[in-house]
């Protein structure tokens, strides 16, 4: 069950006209916080992200399942189920035994998968799979919904991070 604060943040993002992936990002952040706090672990950063995306879909974020060929059939089926459940097109069956088994398994997984280093490595590898033009287009789209104050803050941060590298 996602925290109420997370659902509110996702709704705020939706009102601001941000994309479903940005709305789902709130759920991914929550999942990473949970792993870091030690509530449970994850086998890999990708698993923590996948759990967050699934929670987002179930909470009603209109995040479409991956297209054919983009992910394993099992992953796509799971994402479709979560998406339909969130959109009210399917009734979910409560499975306490399965839920308990998943919780127990996650508790045995490592916590280090949500470390800064692990997430940084995952972000770099994910970005490297995209073309430069795709990354640039994503950045341009993000700028549109940022607003002047946040845009200014982001520009200042970029200048700060570039400065040490110039030497």
């Amino acid at each position: 069950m996602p925290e109420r604060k997370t659902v509110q943040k996702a709704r705020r993002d939706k009102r601001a006209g941000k994309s479903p992936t940005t709305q789902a990002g709130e759920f991914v952040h929550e999942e990473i916080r949970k792993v870091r706090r030690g509530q449970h672990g994850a086998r890999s950063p990708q698993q923590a992200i996948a759990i967050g995306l699934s929670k987002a879909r179930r909470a009603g974020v209109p995040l479409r399942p991956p297209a054919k060929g983009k992910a394993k059939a099992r992953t796509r089926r799971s994402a479709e189920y979560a998406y339909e459940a969130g959109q009210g097109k399917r009734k979910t069956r409560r499975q306490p035994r399965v839920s308990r088994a998943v919780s127990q398994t996650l508790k045995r997984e490592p916590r280090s998968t949500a470390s800064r280093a692990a997430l940084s490595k995952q972000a770099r590898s994910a970005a490297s799979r995209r073309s430069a033009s795709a990354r640039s287009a994503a950045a341009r789209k993000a700028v549109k919904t940022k607003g002047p104050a946040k845009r200014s803050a982001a520009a200042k941060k970029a200048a700060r991070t570039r400065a040490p590298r110039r030497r």
Side-chain angles (χ1 to χ4, degrees), residues 71-127:
K72 287 191 297 188
R74 185 176 169 184
T75 307
R76 285 186 35 242
R77 218 171 24 246
S78 171
E80 276 166 23
Y81 184 95
Y83 178 73
E84 286 170 8
Q87 299 304 308
K89 291 188 173 77
R90 177 190 281 275
K91 288 286 278 180
T92 56
R93 302 184 309 278
R94 289 194 67 241
Q95 295 179 308
R97 191 175 56 176
V98 174
S99 179
R100 220 172 16 253
V102 168
S103 299
Q104 292 297 317
T105 306
L106 281 174
K107 282 194 165 110
R108 287 195 296 271
E109 296 296 346
R111 313 286 187 259
S112 59
T113 50
S115 67
R116 288 180 80 96
L119 290 172
S120 169
K121 191 176 173 186
Q122 150 63 18
R124 275 201 306 274
S125 70

Side-chain angles (χ1 to χ4, degrees), residues 45-60:
Q46 289 88 334
Q47 187 187 33
I49 292 165
I51 293 169
L53 292 178
S54 179
K55 280 185 176 177
R57 287 189 178 103
R58 281 174 168 271

Side-chain angles (χ1 to χ4, degrees), residues 6 24-33 48-50 52-53:
T6 305
E26 297 298 345
F27 292 86
V28 174
H29 283 310
E30 181 196 326
E31 201 52 40
I32 287 166
R33 272 198 309 273
I49 292 165
L53 292 178

